[in-house]
PDB file of all heavy atoms in Angstrom:
ATOM      1  N   ASN A  21     -22.010  -3.517  -6.897  1.00  0.00           N
ATOM      2  CA  ASN A  21     -22.358  -3.416  -8.312  1.00  0.00           C
ATOM      3  C   ASN A  21     -22.778  -4.741  -8.931  1.00  0.00           C
ATOM      4  O   ASN A  21     -23.151  -4.767 -10.107  1.00  0.00           O
ATOM      5  CB  ASN A  21     -21.128  -2.889  -9.111  1.00  0.00           C
ATOM      6  CG  ASN A  21     -20.721  -1.510  -8.634  1.00  0.00           C
ATOM      7  OD1 ASN A  21     -21.563  -0.664  -8.359  1.00  0.00           O
ATOM      8  ND2 ASN A  21     -19.414  -1.292  -8.520  1.00  0.00           N
ATOM      9  N   TRP A  22     -22.717  -5.792  -8.146  1.00  0.00           N
ATOM     10  CA  TRP A  22     -23.084  -7.127  -8.637  1.00  0.00           C
ATOM     11  C   TRP A  22     -24.430  -7.552  -8.081  1.00  0.00           C
ATOM     12  O   TRP A  22     -24.846  -7.111  -6.994  1.00  0.00           O
ATOM     13  CB  TRP A  22     -22.045  -8.180  -8.235  1.00  0.00           C
ATOM     14  CG  TRP A  22     -20.700  -8.047  -8.851  1.00  0.00           C
ATOM     15  CD1 TRP A  22     -20.326  -7.240  -9.893  1.00  0.00           C
ATOM     16  CD2 TRP A  22     -19.517  -8.763  -8.427  1.00  0.00           C
ATOM     17  NE1 TRP A  22     -18.983  -7.406 -10.172  1.00  0.00           N
ATOM     18  CE2 TRP A  22     -18.468  -8.338  -9.295  1.00  0.00           C
ATOM     19  CE3 TRP A  22     -19.256  -9.682  -7.436  1.00  0.00           C
ATOM     20  CZ2 TRP A  22     -17.177  -8.833  -9.173  1.00  0.00           C
ATOM     21  CZ3 TRP A  22     -17.963 -10.197  -7.329  1.00  0.00           C
ATOM     22  CH2 TRP A  22     -16.941  -9.753  -8.183  1.00  0.00           C
ATOM     23  N   SER A  23     -25.066  -8.494  -8.772  1.00  0.00           N
ATOM     24  CA  SER A  23     -26.295  -9.112  -8.258  1.00  0.00           C
ATOM     25  C   SER A  23     -25.962  -9.983  -7.058  1.00  0.00           C
ATOM     26  O   SER A  23     -24.792 -10.357  -6.841  1.00  0.00           O
ATOM     27  CB  SER A  23     -26.918  -9.993  -9.345  1.00  0.00           C
ATOM     28  OG  SER A  23     -26.037 -11.081  -9.591  1.00  0.00           O
ATOM     29  N   ASP A  24     -26.987 -10.305  -6.278  1.00  0.00           N
ATOM     30  CA  ASP A  24     -26.795 -11.217  -5.134  1.00  0.00           C
ATOM     31  C   ASP A  24     -26.236 -12.540  -5.611  1.00  0.00           C
ATOM     32  O   ASP A  24     -25.396 -13.155  -4.963  1.00  0.00           O
ATOM     33  CB  ASP A  24     -28.103 -11.425  -4.377  1.00  0.00           C
ATOM     34  CG  ASP A  24     -28.510 -10.182  -3.582  1.00  0.00           C
ATOM     35  OD1 ASP A  24     -27.659  -9.267  -3.447  1.00  0.00           O
ATOM     36  OD2 ASP A  24     -29.655 -10.118  -3.119  1.00  0.00           O
ATOM     37  N   GLU A  25     -26.724 -12.986  -6.756  1.00  0.00           N
ATOM     38  CA  GLU A  25     -26.279 -14.274  -7.294  1.00  0.00           C
ATOM     39  C   GLU A  25     -24.786 -14.251  -7.622  1.00  0.00           C
ATOM     40  O   GLU A  25     -24.057 -15.186  -7.286  1.00  0.00           O
ATOM     41  CB  GLU A  25     -27.076 -14.637  -8.565  1.00  0.00           C
ATOM     42  CG  GLU A  25     -28.549 -14.980  -8.347  1.00  0.00           C
ATOM     43  CD  GLU A  25     -29.391 -13.741  -7.960  1.00  0.00           C
ATOM     44  OE1 GLU A  25     -29.038 -12.596  -8.318  1.00  0.00           O
ATOM     45  OE2 GLU A  25     -30.400 -13.934  -7.285  1.00  0.00           O
ATOM     46  N   LYS A  26     -24.366 -13.175  -8.242  1.00  0.00           N
ATOM     47  CA  LYS A  26     -22.952 -13.108  -8.615  1.00  0.00           C
ATOM     48  C   LYS A  26     -22.088 -12.997  -7.374  1.00  0.00           C
ATOM     49  O   LYS A  26     -21.014 -13.639  -7.273  1.00  0.00           O
ATOM     50  CB  LYS A  26     -22.686 -11.936  -9.572  1.00  0.00           C
ATOM     51  CG  LYS A  26     -21.214 -11.892 -10.009  1.00  0.00           C
ATOM     52  CD  LYS A  26     -20.992 -10.983 -11.207  1.00  0.00           C
ATOM     53  CE  LYS A  26     -19.526 -11.007 -11.608  1.00  0.00           C
ATOM     54  NZ  LYS A  26     -19.202 -10.112 -12.710  1.00  0.00           N
ATOM     55  N   ASN A  27     -22.518 -12.193  -6.392  1.00  0.00           N
ATOM     56  CA  ASN A  27     -21.768 -12.094  -5.148  1.00  0.00           C
ATOM     57  C   ASN A  27     -21.629 -13.446  -4.478  1.00  0.00           C
ATOM     58  O   ASN A  27     -20.547 -13.817  -4.003  1.00  0.00           O
ATOM     59  CB  ASN A  27     -22.457 -11.126  -4.172  1.00  0.00           C
ATOM     60  CG  ASN A  27     -21.989  -9.683  -4.360  1.00  0.00           C
ATOM     61  OD1 ASN A  27     -20.854  -9.356  -4.041  1.00  0.00           O
ATOM     62  ND2 ASN A  27     -22.862  -8.838  -4.917  1.00  0.00           N
ATOM     63  N   GLN A  28     -22.719 -14.181  -4.472  1.00  0.00           N
ATOM     64  CA  GLN A  28     -22.717 -15.511  -3.841  1.00  0.00           C
ATOM     65  C   GLN A  28     -21.769 -16.456  -4.589  1.00  0.00           C
ATOM     66  O   GLN A  28     -20.997 -17.198  -3.980  1.00  0.00           O
ATOM     67  CB  GLN A  28     -24.144 -16.053  -3.841  1.00  0.00           C
ATOM     68  CG  GLN A  28     -24.312 -17.421  -3.190  1.00  0.00           C
ATOM     69  CD  GLN A  28     -23.797 -17.418  -1.753  1.00  0.00           C
ATOM     70  OE1 GLN A  28     -24.053 -16.515  -0.991  1.00  0.00           O
ATOM     71  NE2 GLN A  28     -23.037 -18.465  -1.412  1.00  0.00           N
ATOM     72  N   LYS A  29     -21.804 -16.352  -5.935  1.00  0.00           N
ATOM     73  CA  LYS A  29     -20.983 -17.224  -6.733  1.00  0.00           C
ATOM     74  C   LYS A  29     -19.487 -16.935  -6.533  1.00  0.00           C
ATOM     75  O   LYS A  29     -18.665 -17.839  -6.415  1.00  0.00           O
ATOM     76  CB  LYS A  29     -21.347 -17.040  -8.225  1.00  0.00           C
ATOM     77  CG  LYS A  29     -20.613 -17.929  -9.174  1.00  0.00           C
ATOM     78  CD  LYS A  29     -21.338 -17.933 -10.544  1.00  0.00           C
ATOM     79  CE  LYS A  29     -20.638 -18.833 -11.546  1.00  0.00           C
ATOM     80  NZ  LYS A  29     -19.489 -18.176 -12.192  1.00  0.00           N
ATOM     81  N   ILE A  30     -19.138 -15.634  -6.492  1.00  0.00           N
ATOM     82  CA  ILE A  30     -17.715 -15.266  -6.402  1.00  0.00           C
ATOM     83  C   ILE A  30     -17.186 -15.386  -4.977  1.00  0.00           C
ATOM     84  O   ILE A  30     -16.101 -15.898  -4.731  1.00  0.00           O
ATOM     85  CB  ILE A  30     -17.504 -13.805  -6.899  1.00  0.00           C
ATOM     86  CG1 ILE A  30     -17.967 -13.652  -8.351  1.00  0.00           C
ATOM     87  CG2 ILE A  30     -16.058 -13.360  -6.721  1.00  0.00           C
ATOM     88  CD1 ILE A  30     -17.185 -14.444  -9.359  1.00  0.00           C
ATOM     89  N   PHE A  31     -17.989 -14.904  -3.980  1.00  0.00           N
ATOM     90  CA  PHE A  31     -17.471 -14.804  -2.609  1.00  0.00           C
ATOM     91  C   PHE A  31     -17.901 -15.968  -1.730  1.00  0.00           C
ATOM     92  O   PHE A  31     -17.341 -16.129  -0.635  1.00  0.00           O
ATOM     93  CB  PHE A  31     -17.895 -13.487  -1.973  1.00  0.00           C
ATOM     94  CG  PHE A  31     -17.257 -12.273  -2.593  1.00  0.00           C
ATOM     95  CD1 PHE A  31     -18.048 -11.208  -3.027  1.00  0.00           C
ATOM     96  CD2 PHE A  31     -15.879 -12.172  -2.731  1.00  0.00           C
ATOM     97  CE1 PHE A  31     -17.465 -10.061  -3.575  1.00  0.00           C
ATOM     98  CE2 PHE A  31     -15.304 -11.046  -3.289  1.00  0.00           C
ATOM     99  CZ  PHE A  31     -16.091  -9.992  -3.711  1.00  0.00           C
ATOM    100  N   GLY A  32     -18.888 -16.740  -2.129  1.00  0.00           N
ATOM    101  CA  GLY A  32     -19.310 -17.900  -1.355  1.00  0.00           C
ATOM    102  C   GLY A  32     -19.685 -17.531   0.070  1.00  0.00           C
ATOM    103  O   GLY A  32     -20.407 -16.559   0.302  1.00  0.00           O
ATOM    104  N   LYS A  33     -19.152 -18.292   1.034  1.00  0.00           N
ATOM    105  CA  LYS A  33     -19.486 -18.061   2.462  1.00  0.00           C
ATOM    106  C   LYS A  33     -19.068 -16.671   2.932  1.00  0.00           C
ATOM    107  O   LYS A  33     -19.656 -16.133   3.877  1.00  0.00           O
ATOM    108  CB  LYS A  33     -18.780 -19.104   3.338  1.00  0.00           C
ATOM    109  CG  LYS A  33     -19.420 -20.488   3.204  1.00  0.00           C
ATOM    110  CD  LYS A  33     -19.082 -21.460   4.328  1.00  0.00           C
ATOM    111  CE  LYS A  33     -17.648 -21.520   4.761  1.00  0.00           C
ATOM    112  NZ  LYS A  33     -17.351 -22.659   5.663  1.00  0.00           N
ATOM    113  N   CYS A  34     -18.056 -16.101   2.294  1.00  0.00           N
ATOM    114  CA  CYS A  34     -17.568 -14.770   2.705  1.00  0.00           C
ATOM    115  C   CYS A  34     -18.579 -13.668   2.381  1.00  0.00           C
ATOM    116  O   CYS A  34     -18.439 -12.526   2.829  1.00  0.00           O
ATOM    117  CB  CYS A  34     -16.253 -14.446   2.011  1.00  0.00           C
ATOM    118  SG  CYS A  34     -14.939 -15.565   2.591  1.00  0.00           S
ATOM    119  N   ASN A  35     -19.609 -14.013   1.583  1.00  0.00           N
ATOM    120  CA  ASN A  35     -20.656 -13.051   1.239  1.00  0.00           C
ATOM    121  C   ASN A  35     -21.851 -13.117   2.200  1.00  0.00           C
ATOM    122  O   ASN A  35     -22.785 -12.317   2.095  1.00  0.00           O
ATOM    123  CB  ASN A  35     -21.129 -13.308  -0.214  1.00  0.00           C
ATOM    124  CG  ASN A  35     -22.201 -12.359  -0.685  1.00  0.00           C
ATOM    125  OD1 ASN A  35     -23.315 -12.750  -0.972  1.00  0.00           O
ATOM    126  ND2 ASN A  35     -21.870 -11.070  -0.723  1.00  0.00           N
ATOM    127  N   TYR A  36     -21.800 -14.021   3.149  1.00  0.00           N
ATOM    128  CA  TYR A  36     -22.920 -14.220   4.079  1.00  0.00           C
ATOM    129  C   TYR A  36     -23.423 -12.867   4.611  1.00  0.00           C
ATOM    130  O   TYR A  36     -22.651 -12.070   5.129  1.00  0.00           O
ATOM    131  CB  TYR A  36     -22.498 -15.134   5.234  1.00  0.00           C
ATOM    132  CG  TYR A  36     -23.563 -15.363   6.258  1.00  0.00           C
ATOM    133  CD1 TYR A  36     -24.785 -15.911   5.907  1.00  0.00           C
ATOM    134  CD2 TYR A  36     -23.359 -14.965   7.581  1.00  0.00           C
ATOM    135  CE1 TYR A  36     -25.778 -16.101   6.850  1.00  0.00           C
ATOM    136  CE2 TYR A  36     -24.360 -15.153   8.542  1.00  0.00           C
ATOM    137  CZ  TYR A  36     -25.543 -15.732   8.154  1.00  0.00           C
ATOM    138  OH  TYR A  36     -26.560 -15.900   9.083  1.00  0.00           O
ATOM    139  N   GLN A  37     -24.746 -12.626   4.455  1.00  0.00           N
ATOM    140  CA  GLN A  37     -25.260 -11.280   4.681  1.00  0.00           C
ATOM    141  C   GLN A  37     -25.130 -10.766   6.121  1.00  0.00           C
ATOM    142  O   GLN A  37     -25.078  -9.552   6.335  1.00  0.00           O
ATOM    143  CB  GLN A  37     -26.718 -11.168   4.219  1.00  0.00           C
ATOM    144  CG  GLN A  37     -27.671 -12.023   5.059  1.00  0.00           C
ATOM    145  CD  GLN A  37     -29.139 -11.716   4.726  1.00  0.00           C
ATOM    146  OE1 GLN A  37     -29.434 -10.776   4.032  1.00  0.00           O
ATOM    147  NE2 GLN A  37     -30.038 -12.562   5.227  1.00  0.00           N
ATOM    148  N   ASN A  38     -25.086 -11.682   7.086  1.00  0.00           N
ATOM    149  CA  ASN A  38     -24.968 -11.247   8.485  1.00  0.00           C
ATOM    150  C   ASN A  38     -23.542 -11.214   9.010  1.00  0.00           C
ATOM    151  O   ASN A  38     -23.306 -11.218  10.203  1.00  0.00           O
ATOM    152  CB  ASN A  38     -25.836 -12.146   9.387  1.00  0.00           C
ATOM    153  CG  ASN A  38     -27.322 -11.884   9.117  1.00  0.00           C
ATOM    154  OD1 ASN A  38     -27.710 -10.823   8.640  1.00  0.00           O
ATOM    155  ND2 ASN A  38     -28.136 -12.881   9.403  1.00  0.00           N
ATOM    156  N   TYR A  39     -22.593 -11.218   8.095  1.00  0.00           N
ATOM    157  CA  TYR A  39     -21.168 -11.031   8.412  1.00  0.00           C
ATOM    158  C   TYR A  39     -20.554 -12.267   9.097  1.00  0.00           C
ATOM    159  O   TYR A  39     -21.275 -13.176   9.491  1.00  0.00           O
ATOM    160  CB  TYR A  39     -20.946  -9.768   9.274  1.00  0.00           C
ATOM    161  CG  TYR A  39     -21.566  -8.538   8.657  1.00  0.00           C
ATOM    162  CD1 TYR A  39     -22.867  -8.154   8.996  1.00  0.00           C
ATOM    163  CD2 TYR A  39     -20.870  -7.810   7.727  1.00  0.00           C
ATOM    164  CE1 TYR A  39     -23.446  -7.023   8.399  1.00  0.00           C
ATOM    165  CE2 TYR A  39     -21.455  -6.688   7.133  1.00  0.00           C
ATOM    166  CZ  TYR A  39     -22.729  -6.309   7.463  1.00  0.00           C
ATOM    167  OH  TYR A  39     -23.299  -5.206   6.886  1.00  0.00           O
TER     168      TYR A  39
END
Side-chain angles (χ1 to χ4, degrees):
N21 299 320
W22 292 349
S23 65
D24 287 348
E25 290 71 26
K26 183 165 181 184
N27 271 290
Q28 181 57 43
K29 183 164 180 278
I30 301 296
F31 293 128
K33 287 198 314 191
C34 294
N35 181 244
Y36 178 59
Q37 66 171 348
N38 291 336
Y39 307 93

